[in-house]
Amino acid sequence: MSHRASPRGTVRPRLDFSRRITGLLCLLPVLATAAAAPRATDAELARARAWSAAKFSATTGAPAAGGHLQVVEGKGALLKNARPGGPLQVGGKIHPHGLYAGAITRLAVHLPGPAAAFEATVGLDLTWWGRGDVSDHAVFAVEAAGREVGRSERVTVGETGASLRADLAGATDFTLVVANPDAVPARGTAIWAGARVTLRDGRSLWLDELPVTPLAGAPATEAPFSFTYGGRPSQEFLRDWPVERTAQVLDAQRTERRVTYRDPQTGLVVRVVAVEY
């Protein structure tokens, strides 16, 4: 498959994406016939539509009725009540509830109702991650309604951890953040032990009880494909390219969605065309 590049000037070289694309993921909700496959459930269709809206319209839907977790920034394993190879622990102390967050630096929490407070014991597991310079400490924080509502003291790898409490003041959405004062990756892996929310109706909710959204592992509106261009992965520059999004209803069952990215330096156009069934 070849796509035509159109840099400024009269030369119009062809860019062979078949040699440059390093990965392509295209997930579309399809209603198969009963003879071919079981009918999709309403919940499955809702998740598929939410994925399509995020990837092709850059919008995110309302949280699921029961709440969920969503990885916003970072990568790595998100485990519940355990860590790779053993129980969840901070500084040698085992915790029956909590999240092992890998190299995830921002984790959104969507709740089933207004919340009063959040609490956890935070710490860094003895695991290296990141490249280049690393630090042996980090700070954990909670953000709600666009502002920080709670922050831990500085946590060092191997220590027993620190207590973190935040007043959520009725928020139904908030974000768990792992930051480093030195602006370099932390040496340890983030752990939110005993992470729990107290809802305004008096209920107590462990975060490990919430499902993880299908969008976990990448920002919700990140492009559903990747490629290498000029020796660089598209994740490094595609977010800075101007983008145009359109949708056209083809019939009662189909909608065609187009997302067009344009390189402001060369004029190269990358276009995604998908039909949602």
Side-chain angles (χ1 to χ4, degrees), residues 7-151:
R8 297 184 180 88
T10 58
V11 180
R12 297 171 60 87
R14 295 181 65 84
L15 178 63
D16 186 357
F17 266 53
S18 65
R19 296 182 181 178
R20 293 183 176 270
I21 290 182
T22 58
L24 175 62
L25 176 64
C26 186
L27 301 178
L28 296 177
V30 177
L31 289 178
T33 63
R39 181 179 176 84
T41 66
D42 290 342
E44 289 170 337
L45 288 175
R47 289 195 296 268
R49 293 189 185 103
W51 185 92
S52 177
K55 297 303 182 183
F56 300 110
S57 302
T59 59
T60 55
H68 65 272
L69 305 175
Q70 177 185 350
V71 176
V72 177
E73 186 175 289
K75 58 184 178 179
L78 178 60
L79 304 181
K80 299 179 178 181
N81 310 328
R83 65 188 179 95
L88 188 71
Q89 58 181 324
V90 179
K93 181 180 179 180
I94 295 177
H95 294 263
H97 287 279
L99 302 173
Y100 172 99
I104 297 167
T105 54
R106 297 184 68 85
L107 179 67
V109 181
H110 304 286
L111 299 171
F118 167 81
E119 60 182 320
T121 298
V122 296
L124 294 174
D125 193 30
L126 293 174
T127 303
W128 285 85
W129 58 268
R131 296 181 178 179
D133 293 334
V134 293
S135 173
D136 65 353
H137 60 271
V139 173
F140 292 68
V142 178
E143 296 178 356
R147 64 186 183 90
E148 187 175 286
V149 295
R151 171 178 282 257

Side-chain angles (χ1 to χ4, degrees), residues 69 88 95 97-99 109 111 115-123 140-143 149-152 161-169 174-176 191-199 202-208 210:
L69 305 175
L88 188 71
H95 294 263
H97 287 279
L99 302 173
V109 181
L111 299 171
F118 167 81
E119 60 182 320
T121 298
V122 296
F140 292 68
V142 178
E143 296 178 356
V149 295
R151 171 178 282 257
S152 75
S163 296
L164 173 58
R165 181 178 173 83
D167 181 2
L168 296 178
F174 64 95
T175 303
L176 304 181
I191 290 181
W192 300 83
R196 181 173 60 178
V197 172
T198 301
L199 300 176
R203 288 181 296 161
S204 183
L205 178 67
W206 299 103
L207 292 196
D208 56 78
L210 298 176

